[in-house]
Amino acid sequence: MKNSIKVERAIHSLTQEQLAQKLGVSRQTIHAIEANKYVPSTVLALKLAQLFHKQVGEIFKLEETD
């Protein structure tokens, strides 16, 4: 699954640490999601979408291999 979290962070001028604090997760979790090494829970995906004022499907995209 691909995501645009790094782009959204840049648009909102947030570091990984700042985003992690807003979501109540570790910076390592944000790094892992951005690196496509970790798929967030539904709750975390919804929190990200709400924070960035986007639909979940605008942030997360399935790849053919998913």
Side-chain angles (χ1 to χ4, degrees):
M1 181 176 353
K2 296 191 305 187
N3 69 72
S4 61
I5 294 173
K6 190 172 185 175
V7 172
E8 293 296 332
R9 272 196 315 104
I11 290 169
H12 291 86
S13 301
L14 292 170
T15 65
Q16 287 182 343
E17 183 65 36
Q18 289 168 329
L19 179 58
Q21 287 177 356
K22 287 181 179 288
L23 298 170
V25 298
S26 70
R27 185 203 58 78
Q28 291 84 354
T29 297
I30 300 301
H31 173 74
I33 294 170
E34 288 182 356
N36 296 318
K37 294 182 180 183
Y38 175 73
V39 177
S41 68
T42 304
V43 172
L44 184 53
L46 289 167
K47 285 181 179 181
L48 282 160
Q50 185 177 39
L51 181 72
F52 293 137
H53 306 288
K54 301 272 184 173
Q55 297 293 316
V56 173
E58 294 177 278
I59 298 173
F60 296 96
K61 304 277 186 210
L62 288 174
E63 297 181 281
E64 279 190 30
T65 56
D66 290 334

Coordinates of all heavy atoms in Angstrom, one line a residue:
M1 N 0.9 -1.2 0.0 CA 0.0 0.0 0.0 C 0.9 1.2 0.0 O 1.8 1.3 0.8 CB -0.9 0.0 1.2 CG -1.8 1.2 1.3 SD -3.0 1.3 2.6 CE -3.0 -0.2 3.5
K2 N 0.6 2.2 -0.9 CA 1.3 3.4 -0.9 C 0.6 4.5 -0.1 O -0.6 4.3 0.1 CB 1.5 3.9 -2.4 CG 2.3 3.0 -3.3 CD 2.7 3.6 -4.6 CE 1.5 4.1 -5.4 NZ 1.8 4.5 -6.7
N3 N 1.3 5.5 0.3 CA 0.7 6.6 1.0 C 1.3 7.9 0.7 O 2.5 7.9 0.2 CB 0.6 6.3 2.5 CG 2.0 6.4 3.1 OD1 2.6 7.4 3.3 ND2 2.5 5.2 3.5
S4 N 0.7 9.0 1.0 CA 1.2 10.3 0.8 C 1.4 11.1 2.1 O 1.4 12.3 2.1 CB 0.2 11.1 -0.1 OG -1.0 11.2 0.5
I5 N 1.7 10.4 3.1 CA 1.9 11.0 4.4 C 3.1 12.0 4.4 O 3.0 13.1 5.0 CB 2.0 10.0 5.6 CG1 0.7 9.2 5.7 CG2 2.4 10.7 6.9 CD1 0.8 8.1 6.7
K6 N 4.2 11.6 3.8 CA 5.3 12.5 3.8 C 5.0 13.8 3.1 O 5.4 14.9 3.5 CB 6.5 11.8 3.1 CG 7.8 12.5 3.2 CD 8.9 11.7 2.7 CE 10.3 12.4 2.9 NZ 11.4 11.5 2.5
V7 N 4.2 13.7 2.0 CA 3.8 14.9 1.3 C 2.9 15.8 2.1 O 3.1 17.0 2.2 CB 3.1 14.5 -0.1 CG1 2.5 15.7 -0.7 CG2 4.1 13.8 -1.0
E8 N 1.9 15.1 2.8 CA 1.0 15.8 3.6 C 1.7 16.5 4.8 O 1.4 17.6 5.2 CB -0.1 14.9 4.1 CG -1.0 14.4 3.1 CD -1.9 15.5 2.4 OE1 -2.1 16.5 3.0 OE2 -2.2 15.3 1.2
R9 N 2.7 15.8 5.3 CA 3.5 16.4 6.4 C 4.2 17.7 6.0 O 4.2 18.7 6.6 CB 4.6 15.5 6.9 CG 4.2 14.5 8.0 CD 5.3 13.9 8.7 NE 6.4 13.3 7.9 CZ 7.6 13.9 7.7 NH1 7.9 15.0 8.3 NH2 8.5 13.3 6.9
A10 N 4.8 17.6 4.8 CA 5.5 18.8 4.2 C 4.5 19.9 4.0 O 4.8 21.1 4.3 CB 6.1 18.4 2.9
I11 N 3.3 19.6 3.4 CA 2.3 20.7 3.2 C 1.9 21.4 4.5 O 1.7 22.6 4.5 CB 1.1 20.1 2.5 CG1 1.4 19.7 1.1 CG2 -0.1 21.0 2.5 CD1 0.3 18.8 0.4
H12 N 1.8 20.6 5.6 CA 1.4 21.1 6.9 C 2.6 21.5 7.7 O 2.4 21.8 8.9 CB 0.5 20.1 7.6 CG -0.8 19.9 6.9 ND1 -1.0 19.0 5.9 CD2 -2.0 20.5 7.2 CE1 -2.3 19.1 5.5 NE2 -2.9 20.0 6.3
S13 N 3.8 21.5 7.2 CA 5.0 21.9 7.9 C 5.2 21.1 9.2 O 5.5 21.7 10.3 CB 5.1 23.4 8.1 OG 5.0 24.1 6.9
L14 N 5.0 19.8 9.2 CA 5.2 19.0 10.4 C 6.4 18.0 10.2 O 6.6 17.5 9.2 CB 3.9 18.1 10.6 CG 2.6 18.8 10.9 CD1 1.5 17.8 10.8 CD2 2.7 19.4 12.3
T15 N 7.1 17.9 11.3 CA 8.1 16.8 11.3 C 7.5 15.5 11.7 O 6.3 15.5 12.1 CB 9.2 17.2 12.4 OG1 8.6 17.1 13.7 CG2 9.8 18.5 12.2
Q16 N 8.2 14.4 11.5 CA 7.7 13.1 11.9 C 7.4 13.1 13.4 O 6.4 12.6 13.8 CB 8.7 12.0 11.6 CG 8.9 11.7 10.2 CD 9.8 10.5 9.9 OE1 10.6 10.2 10.8 NE2 9.8 10.0 8.8
E17 N 8.2 13.8 14.2 CA 8.0 13.8 15.7 C 6.7 14.6 16.0 O 5.9 14.2 16.8 CB 9.2 14.5 16.4 CG 9.1 14.5 17.9 CD 9.1 13.1 18.5 OE1 9.8 12.2 18.0 OE2 8.4 12.9 19.5
Q18 N 6.5 15.7 15.4 CA 5.3 16.5 15.6 C 4.1 15.8 15.2 O 3.1 15.8 16.0 CB 5.4 17.9 14.8 CG 6.4 18.8 15.4 CD 6.7 20.0 14.4 OE1 6.6 19.9 13.2 NE2 7.0 21.1 15.0
L19 N 4.1 15.1 14.1 CA 2.9 14.3 13.6 C 2.7 13.2 14.6 O 1.5 13.0 15.0 CB 3.2 13.8 12.2 CG 2.0 12.9 11.7 CD1 0.7 13.7 11.6 CD2 2.4 12.4 10.3
A20 N 3.7 12.5 15.0 CA 3.6 11.4 16.0 C 2.9 11.9 17.3 O 2.0 11.3 17.8 CB 5.0 10.8 16.3
Q21 N 3.4 13.1 17.8 CA 2.8 13.6 19.0 C 1.3 13.9 18.8 O 0.5 13.6 19.7 CB 3.6 14.8 19.5 CG 4.9 14.5 20.0 CD 5.7 15.8 20.4 OE1 5.3 16.9 20.2 NE2 6.9 15.6 20.9
K22 N 0.9 14.5 17.7 CA -0.5 14.8 17.5 C -1.3 13.5 17.4 O -2.5 13.6 17.8 CB -0.6 15.6 16.1 CG -0.1 17.0 16.2 CD -0.3 17.7 14.9 CE 0.1 19.1 14.9 NZ -0.8 20.0 15.7
L23 N -0.8 12.4 17.0 CA -1.5 11.2 16.8 C -1.4 10.2 18.0 O -2.0 9.2 18.1 CB -1.1 10.5 15.6 CG -1.3 11.2 14.3 CD1 -0.6 10.5 13.1 CD2 -2.8 11.4 14.0
G24 N -0.4 10.5 18.9 CA -0.2 9.7 20.1 C 0.5 8.4 19.7 O 0.3 7.3 20.3
V25 N 1.4 8.5 18.7 CA 2.2 7.3 18.4 C 3.7 7.7 18.4 O 4.0 8.9 18.6 CB 1.9 6.8 17.0 CG1 0.4 6.3 16.9 CG2 2.1 7.8 15.9
S26 N 4.6 6.8 18.1 CA 6.0 7.1 18.1 C 6.5 7.7 16.8 O 5.8 7.4 15.8 CB 6.9 5.9 18.5 OG 6.8 4.9 17.4
R27 N 7.6 8.3 16.8 CA 8.1 8.8 15.5 C 8.5 7.7 14.6 O 8.4 7.7 13.4 CB 9.4 9.7 15.8 CG 9.9 10.3 14.5 CD 11.4 10.7 14.6 NE 12.3 9.6 14.9 CZ 12.7 8.7 14.0 NH1 12.3 8.7 12.8 NH2 13.5 7.7 14.4
Q28 N 8.9 6.6 15.2 CA 9.3 5.4 14.5 C 8.1 4.8 13.7 O 8.2 4.3 12.6 CB 9.9 4.3 15.4 CG 11.3 4.7 15.9 CD 11.2 5.5 17.2 OE1 10.2 6.0 17.6 NE2 12.4 5.8 17.7
T29 N 6.9 4.9 14.3 CA 5.7 4.5 13.7 C 5.4 5.3 12.4 O 5.1 4.7 11.3 CB 4.5 4.5 14.6 OG1 4.7 3.7 15.7 CG2 3.2 4.2 13.9
I30 N 5.6 6.6 12.5 CA 5.4 7.5 11.4 C 6.4 7.1 10.3 O 6.1 7.0 9.1 CB 5.5 9.0 11.7 CG1 4.4 9.3 12.8 CG2 5.4 9.9 10.5 CD1 3.0 9.1 12.4
H31 N 7.7 6.9 10.7 CA 8.7 6.6 9.7 C 8.4 5.3 9.0 O 8.5 5.2 7.8 CB 10.1 6.5 10.5 CG 11.1 5.9 9.6 ND1 11.7 6.7 8.6 CD2 11.7 4.7 9.5 CE1 12.6 6.0 8.0 NE2 12.7 4.8 8.5
A32 N 7.9 4.3 9.8 CA 7.6 3.0 9.2 C 6.4 3.1 8.2 O 6.5 2.4 7.2 CB 7.3 2.0 10.3
I33 N 5.4 3.9 8.5 CA 4.3 4.0 7.6 C 4.8 4.7 6.4 O 4.4 4.3 5.2 CB 3.2 4.8 8.3 CG1 2.6 4.1 9.5 CG2 2.1 5.2 7.3 CD1 1.6 4.9 10.3
E34 N 5.5 5.8 6.5 CA 6.0 6.5 5.3 C 6.9 5.6 4.4 O 6.9 5.8 3.2 CB 6.8 7.7 5.7 CG 6.0 8.8 6.3 CD 6.8 10.1 6.6 OE1 8.0 10.1 6.6 OE2 6.1 11.1 7.0
A35 N 7.7 4.7 5.0 CA 8.5 3.8 4.3 C 7.8 2.6 3.8 O 8.4 1.7 3.2 CB 9.7 3.4 5.2
N36 N 6.5 2.5 4.0 CA 5.6 1.4 3.5 C 6.1 0.1 4.2 O 5.9 -1.0 3.6 CB 5.6 1.3 2.0 CG 5.0 2.5 1.3 OD1 4.0 3.0 1.8 ND2 5.6 3.0 0.3
K37 N 6.6 0.2 5.4 CA 6.9 -1.0 6.2 C 5.9 -1.4 7.2 O 6.0 -2.4 7.8 CB 8.3 -0.8 6.8 CG 9.4 -0.7 5.8 CD 10.7 -0.5 6.5 CE 11.8 -0.4 5.4 NZ 13.1 -0.3 6.0
Y38 N 4.9 -0.5 7.4 CA 3.9 -0.7 8.4 C 2.6 -0.2 7.9 O 2.5 0.9 7.4 CB 4.3 0.0 9.7 CG 3.2 -0.1 10.8 CD1 3.0 -1.3 11.5 CD2 2.5 1.0 11.1 CE1 2.0 -1.3 12.5 CE2 1.5 1.0 12.1 CZ 1.3 -0.2 12.8 OH 0.4 -0.2 13.8
V39 N 1.5 -1.0 8.0 CA 0.2 -0.6 7.6 C -0.5 -0.2 8.9 O -0.7 -1.0 9.8 CB -0.6 -1.7 6.9 CG1 -2.0 -1.3 6.5 CG2 0.2 -2.1 5.6
P40 N -1.0 1.1 8.9 CA -1.6 1.6 10.2 C -3.0 0.9 10.4 O -3.6 0.4 9.4 CB -1.8 3.1 9.9 CG -1.9 3.2 8.5 CD -1.0 2.1 7.9
S41 N -3.4 0.9 11.6 CA -4.7 0.5 12.0 C -5.8 1.4 11.3 O -5.5 2.5 10.9 CB -4.9 0.5 13.5 OG -5.0 1.8 13.9
T42 N -7.0 0.9 11.3 CA -8.1 1.7 10.7 C -8.2 3.0 11.5 O -8.4 4.1 11.0 CB -9.4 0.9 10.8 OG1 -9.2 -0.3 10.1 CG2 -10.5 1.7 10.2
V43 N -8.1 2.9 12.8 CA -8.2 4.1 13.7 C -7.2 5.1 13.4 O -7.4 6.3 13.2 CB -8.2 3.7 15.2 CG1 -8.2 4.9 16.1 CG2 -9.5 2.9 15.5
L44 N -5.9 4.6 13.3 CA -4.8 5.6 13.0 C -5.0 6.2 11.6 O -4.7 7.3 11.4 CB -3.5 4.8 13.1 CG -2.2 5.7 12.9 CD1 -2.2 6.9 13.8 CD2 -1.0 4.8 13.1
A45 N -5.4 5.4 10.6 CA -5.6 5.9 9.2 C -6.7 7.0 9.2 O -6.6 8.0 8.6 CB -6.0 4.7 8.3
L46 N -7.8 6.7 10.0 CA -8.8 7.8 10.1 C -8.3 9.0 10.8 O -8.7 10.1 10.4 CB -10.0 7.2 10.9 CG -10.8 6.1 10.1 CD1 -11.8 5.4 11.0 CD2 -11.6 6.8 8.9
K47 N -7.5 8.9 11.8 CA -6.9 10.0 12.5 C -6.1 10.8 11.6 O -6.1 12.1 11.6 CB -6.1 9.6 13.7 CG -6.9 9.2 14.9 CD -6.0 8.8 16.1 CE -6.8 8.3 17.3 NZ -5.9 8.0 18.4
L48 N -5.2 10.2 10.8 CA -4.4 10.8 9.8 C -5.3 11.6 8.8 O -5.0 12.8 8.5 CB -3.5 9.8 9.1 CG -2.3 9.4 9.8 CD1 -1.8 8.1 9.3 CD2 -1.2 10.4 9.8
A49 N -6.3 11.0 8.3 CA -7.2 11.6 7.3 C -7.8 12.8 7.9 O -7.9 13.9 7.3 CB -8.2 10.6 6.8
Q50 N -8.3 12.7 9.1 CA -9.0 13.8 9.8 C -8.0 15.0 10.0 O -8.3 16.1 9.8 CB -9.5 13.4 11.1 CG -10.3 14.4 11.9 CD -10.9 13.9 13.1 OE1 -10.3 13.1 13.9 NE2 -12.2 14.3 13.4
L51 N -6.8 14.7 10.5 CA -5.8 15.7 10.7 C -5.4 16.5 9.4 O -5.3 17.7 9.5 CB -4.5 15.0 11.3 CG -3.4 16.0 11.6 CD1 -3.7 16.8 12.9 CD2 -2.1 15.2 11.8
F52 N -5.3 15.7 8.3 CA -5.0 16.4 7.0 C -6.2 16.8 6.2 O -6.0 17.3 5.1 CB -4.1 15.4 6.2 CG -2.8 15.1 6.8 CD1 -2.3 13.8 6.8 CD2 -2.0 16.1 7.4 CE1 -1.0 13.5 7.3 CE2 -0.7 15.8 7.9 CZ -0.3 14.5 7.9
H53 N -7.4 16.7 6.8 CA -8.6 17.1 6.1 C -8.7 16.4 4.7 O -9.0 17.1 3.7 CB -8.7 18.6 5.9 CG -8.5 19.3 7.2 ND1 -9.5 19.4 8.2 CD2 -7.4 20.1 7.7 CE1 -9.0 20.1 9.2 NE2 -7.8 20.5 9.0
K54 N -8.5 15.1 4.7 CA -8.6 14.3 3.5 C -9.4 13.1 3.8 O -9.6 12.7 4.9 CB -7.2 13.9 3.0 CG -6.2 14.9 2.8 CD -6.3 15.4 1.4 CE -5.2 16.4 1.0 NZ -5.2 16.8 -0.3
Q55 N -9.8 12.4 2.7 CA -10.4 11.1 2.8 C -9.3 10.1 2.9 O -8.2 10.3 2.4 CB -11.3 10.8 1.6 CG -12.5 11.7 1.4 CD -13.5 11.6 2.5 OE1 -13.8 10.5 2.9 NE2 -14.0 12.7 3.0
V56 N -9.6 9.0 3.6 CA -8.5 7.9 3.8 C -8.0 7.5 2.4 O -6.8 7.3 2.2 CB -9.1 6.7 4.6 CG1 -8.1 5.6 4.6 CG2 -9.5 7.1 6.0
G57 N -8.9 7.3 1.4 CA -8.5 6.9 0.1 C -7.6 7.9 -0.6 O -7.0 7.6 -1.6
E58 N -7.6 9.2 -0.2 CA -6.7 10.1 -0.8 C -5.3 10.0 -0.2 O -4.4 10.5 -0.8 CB -7.3 11.6 -0.5 CG -8.6 11.9 -1.2 CD -9.1 13.3 -0.8 OE1 -9.7 13.4 0.3 OE2 -8.8 14.2 -1.6
I59 N -5.1 9.4 0.9 CA -3.8 9.3 1.6 C -3.2 7.9 1.3 O -2.1 7.8 1.1 CB -3.9 9.6 3.1 CG1 -4.4 11.0 3.3 CG2 -2.6 9.3 3.8 CD1 -4.7 11.3 4.8
F60 N -4.1 6.9 1.4 CA -3.6 5.5 1.2 C -4.2 4.9 -0.1 O -5.4 5.0 -0.4 CB -4.1 4.6 2.4 CG -3.5 5.1 3.7 CD1 -4.2 5.9 4.5 CD2 -2.2 4.6 4.0 CE1 -3.6 6.3 5.7 CE2 -1.6 5.1 5.2 CZ -2.4 5.9 6.1
K61 N -3.3 4.3 -0.9 CA -3.7 3.7 -2.2 C -3.2 2.3 -2.2 O -2.0 2.0 -1.9 CB -3.0 4.5 -3.4 CG -3.3 6.0 -3.4 CD -4.7 6.2 -4.1 CE -4.8 7.7 -4.2 NZ -6.2 8.2 -4.2
L62 N -4.1 1.4 -2.7 CA -3.7 0.0 -2.8 C -2.8 -0.1 -4.1 O -3.0 0.6 -5.1 CB -4.9 -0.9 -3.0 CG -5.7 -1.1 -1.7 CD1 -7.0 -1.9 -2.1 CD2 -4.9 -1.8 -0.7
E63 N -1.9 -1.0 -4.0 CA -1.0 -1.4 -5.2 C -1.5 -2.7 -5.7 O -2.3 -3.4 -5.1 CB 0.4 -1.5 -4.8 CG 1.0 -0.2 -4.2 CD 2.4 -0.3 -3.9 OE1 2.7 -0.8 -2.8 OE2 3.3 0.1 -4.7
E64 N -1.1 -3.0 -6.9 CA -1.6 -4.2 -7.6 C -1.2 -5.5 -6.8 O -1.9 -6.5 -6.8 CB -1.0 -4.4 -9.0 CG -1.7 -3.6 -10.0 CD -1.2 -3.9 -11.4 OE1 -0.8 -5.1 -11.7 OE2 -1.3 -3.0 -12.3
T65 N -0.1 -5.4 -6.0 CA 0.4 -6.6 -5.3 C -0.4 -6.7 -3.9 O -0.2 -7.7 -3.3 CB 1.9 -6.5 -5.0 OG1 2.1 -5.2 -4.3 CG2 2.7 -6.5 -6.3
D66 N -1.2 -5.8 -3.6 CA -1.9 -5.8 -2.3 C -3.1 -6.7 -2.4 O -3.8 -6.9 -3.4 CB -2.4 -4.4 -1.8 CG -1.2 -3.6 -1.4 OD1 -0.2 -4.1 -1.0 OD2 -1.3 -2.3 -1.5

